[in-house]
Every structure is written in structure tokens, then in C-alpha cells.
Amino acid sequence: MKKYKYTINGNVYEVTIGDISDNVADVNVNGEDYKVEMEPEKKPEKPKPVVRPAAGAAAPAASNAQAGGGNAGGKTVKAPLPGVITEVKVAVGDEVNVGDTCIVLEAMKMANNLETEYAGKVKEICVQPGQSVMEDDVLVVIE
């Protein structure tokens, strides 16, 4: 038996908790007996699995990230933050100059123009409009 003394709004309550079976406890409050039904303990919720894009959509970006990293000088345009590609403004074979907008990325409800840091020829476009990308995913490879 456990005994407790509570003061609630200036009223003193002497509480004794007796036997507990399943989810029902015998409780005595200031000399009066009560059967108190307790809520069962909640079991910890299982963590929900993280949903990733289908393997077919994610594989090109992953393989291109590795291929782009091996290019001389690393001439790639990478996603600066996670978002969705809304527009591709270049095509394979196009000549680009430093500062040219090649991709429009929507992130946090804002359209971000992604510009090239290199001049050269577009060798590969690794994304398409509507595709979700993560930070540092390779979007365009420039030779």
C-alpha cells in the first residue's frame, strides 16, 4: 500500500492506493473506498519508415553524382538545397557561360534560378521537370 497526502484548492486529501489488478486499483480517499479504472499503458509507437523515391528515379541522380565528381575540375551544377525541379533551361550540347541560368528549382515555395559557375558545353542533364532532388544532387554536367 502506498499513502499520499494531496492539497488541492486548499482541500487536504489522504489517498491510499491498495491492490492493483489488471487496470483496476483499490483506492481509499479520506476514508472512502473507490475502484479506479486506469487507462492501459500505451505501447511505444513503431517508427514509420522513411519513404524514398522509386529506385528508377533515384538511380540516375546517384550515378550522375559519382560521374560528375570524377570530372576534371568537377564541372557540375548541384542542388544547393532540397526541392523540386520546375524547369530545365538548357539542353545537351548547349554552350553556357558563367552565370547562365540552367535549372529552376522550387524550394520552400520559392523559385530559385541555379546558375553555372563554369563556361563550357552541357554534357549531361541529370534531372527532369517535376523531379525531387536532395541537397548536393548533381543536376547538370558541363565539359
Side-chain angles (χ1 to χ4, degrees):
M1 285 192 157
K2 292 185 180 182
K3 295 184 180 188
Y4 300 94
K5 191 172 191 177
Y6 298 104
T7 303
I8 302 172
N9 293 331
N11 297 322
V12 177
Y13 298 94
E14 291 184 18
V15 179
T16 305
I17 299 177
D19 293 332
I20 300 174
S21 58
D22 292 325
N23 64 334
V24 178
D26 294 322
V27 178
N28 180 295
V29 180
N30 291 345
E32 289 191 40
D33 290 327
Y34 296 94
K35 293 251 186 234
V36 177
E37 186 175 340
M38 299 178 291
E39 289 186 19
E41 273 187 48
K42 292 183 179 178
K43 295 180 181 176
E45 197 172 300
K46 292 182 182 178
K48 296 181 180 175
V50 176
V51 178
R52 303 219 186 261
S63 64
N64 290 335
Q66 293 167 352
N71 270 345
K75 295 183 177 184
T76 59
V77 176
K78 294 184 179 183
L81 66 165
V84 176
I85 304 298
T86 56
E87 188 176 354
V88 177
K89 293 194 167 238
V90 293
V92 174
D94 286 357
E95 290 289 331
V96 292
N97 295 311
V98 175
D100 286 352
T101 299
C102 59
I103 298 284
V104 179
L105 173 74
E106 183 180 309
M108 297 182 287
K109 297 188 179 185
M110 290 182 58
N112 300 280
N113 292 328
L114 304 183
E115 300 172 348
T116 63
E117 295 178 9
Y118 310 101
K121 189 180 206 179
V122 176
K123 177 180 177 183
E124 186 176 2
I125 298 173
C126 307
V127 293
Q128 56 190 358
Q131 181 177 340
S132 294
V133 295
M134 299 302 293
E135 183 175 355
D136 290 330
D137 281 355
V138 174
L139 309 176
V140 177
V141 178
I142 300 170
E143 1 175 72

mmCIF file of all heavy atoms in Angstrom, residues 1 5 13 31 37 57-58 64 115 127:
data_model
loop_
_atom_site.group_PDB
_atom_site.id
_atom_site.type_symbol
_atom_site.label_atom_id
_atom_site.label_comp_id
_atom_site.label_asym_id
_atom_site.label_seq_id
_atom_site.Cartn_x
_atom_site.Cartn_y
_atom_site.Cartn_z
ATOM 1 N N MET A 1 0.843 -1.187 0.000
ATOM 2 C CA MET A 1 0.000 0.000 0.000
ATOM 3 C C MET A 1 0.879 1.238 0.000
ATOM 4 O O MET A 1 1.861 1.315 0.708
ATOM 5 C CB MET A 1 -0.876 0.031 1.249
ATOM 6 C CG MET A 1 -2.018 -0.895 1.244
ATOM 7 S SD MET A 1 -3.073 -0.434 2.628
ATOM 8 C CE MET A 1 -4.573 -1.099 2.058
ATOM 9 N N LYS A 5 -0.491 12.285 0.445
ATOM 10 C CA LYS A 5 -1.282 13.388 1.001
ATOM 11 C C LYS A 5 -1.230 14.509 -0.030
ATOM 12 O O LYS A 5 -0.156 14.963 -0.417
ATOM 13 C CB LYS A 5 -0.697 13.838 2.330
ATOM 14 C CG LYS A 5 -1.581 14.766 3.098
ATOM 15 C CD LYS A 5 -1.000 15.002 4.488
ATOM 16 C CE LYS A 5 -2.022 15.704 5.347
ATOM 17 N NZ LYS A 5 -1.537 15.877 6.714
ATOM 18 N N TYR A 13 -6.393 15.888 0.958
ATOM 19 C CA TYR A 13 -6.863 14.546 0.618
ATOM 20 C C TYR A 13 -5.786 13.555 1.026
ATOM 21 O O TYR A 13 -4.627 13.705 0.657
ATOM 22 C CB TYR A 13 -7.130 14.412 -0.890
ATOM 23 C CG TYR A 13 -8.217 15.333 -1.400
ATOM 24 C CD1 TYR A 13 -7.904 16.575 -1.926
ATOM 25 C CD2 TYR A 13 -9.549 14.939 -1.355
ATOM 26 C CE1 TYR A 13 -8.889 17.419 -2.395
ATOM 27 C CE2 TYR A 13 -10.541 15.775 -1.827
ATOM 28 C CZ TYR A 13 -10.212 17.014 -2.347
ATOM 29 O OH TYR A 13 -11.194 17.848 -2.814
ATOM 30 N N GLY A 31 -10.913 8.043 3.664
ATOM 31 C CA GLY A 31 -11.746 7.029 4.301
ATOM 32 C C GLY A 31 -12.796 6.397 3.412
ATOM 33 O O GLY A 31 -13.498 5.480 3.841
ATOM 34 N N GLU A 37 -10.495 2.681 -12.416
ATOM 35 C CA GLU A 37 -10.041 2.036 -13.646
ATOM 36 C C GLU A 37 -9.023 2.954 -14.315
ATOM 37 O O GLU A 37 -9.290 4.132 -14.557
ATOM 38 C CB GLU A 37 -11.215 1.781 -14.590
ATOM 39 C CG GLU A 37 -10.824 0.983 -15.807
ATOM 40 C CD GLU A 37 -12.012 0.631 -16.690
ATOM 41 O OE1 GLU A 37 -13.156 0.656 -16.205
ATOM 42 O OE2 GLU A 37 -11.765 0.340 -17.872
ATOM 43 N N ALA A 57 13.940 6.372 -60.284
ATOM 44 C CA ALA A 57 14.091 7.830 -60.325
ATOM 45 C C ALA A 57 15.343 8.275 -59.596
ATOM 46 O O ALA A 57 15.978 9.237 -59.967
ATOM 47 C CB ALA A 57 12.869 8.488 -59.704
ATOM 48 N N ALA A 58 15.709 7.575 -58.526
ATOM 49 C CA ALA A 58 16.858 7.994 -57.726
ATOM 50 C C ALA A 58 18.176 7.529 -58.328
ATOM 51 O O ALA A 58 19.194 8.162 -58.139
ATOM 52 C CB ALA A 58 16.720 7.457 -56.315
ATOM 53 N N ASN A 64 24.959 9.814 -61.512
ATOM 54 C CA ASN A 64 25.494 11.039 -62.085
ATOM 55 C C ASN A 64 26.302 11.810 -61.063
ATOM 56 O O ASN A 64 27.258 12.488 -61.407
ATOM 57 C CB ASN A 64 24.363 11.909 -62.629
ATOM 58 C CG ASN A 64 23.744 11.290 -63.864
ATOM 59 O OD1 ASN A 64 24.394 10.524 -64.561
ATOM 60 N ND2 ASN A 64 22.492 11.609 -64.125
ATOM 61 N N GLU A 115 22.500 28.929 -61.381
ATOM 62 C CA GLU A 115 23.389 29.398 -62.437
ATOM 63 C C GLU A 115 24.656 28.560 -62.483
ATOM 64 O O GLU A 115 25.081 28.003 -61.467
ATOM 65 C CB GLU A 115 23.744 30.866 -62.179
ATOM 66 C CG GLU A 115 22.514 31.759 -62.147
ATOM 67 C CD GLU A 115 22.822 33.169 -61.696
ATOM 68 O OE1 GLU A 115 23.933 33.428 -61.191
ATOM 69 O OE2 GLU A 115 21.940 34.029 -61.856
ATOM 70 N N VAL A 127 18.480 15.606 -64.505
ATOM 71 C CA VAL A 127 17.150 15.740 -63.896
ATOM 72 C C VAL A 127 16.132 16.118 -64.953
ATOM 73 O O VAL A 127 16.482 16.472 -66.079
ATOM 74 C CB VAL A 127 17.157 16.807 -62.778
ATOM 75 C CG1 VAL A 127 18.003 16.365 -61.611
ATOM 76 C CG2 VAL A 127 17.616 18.147 -63.313
#
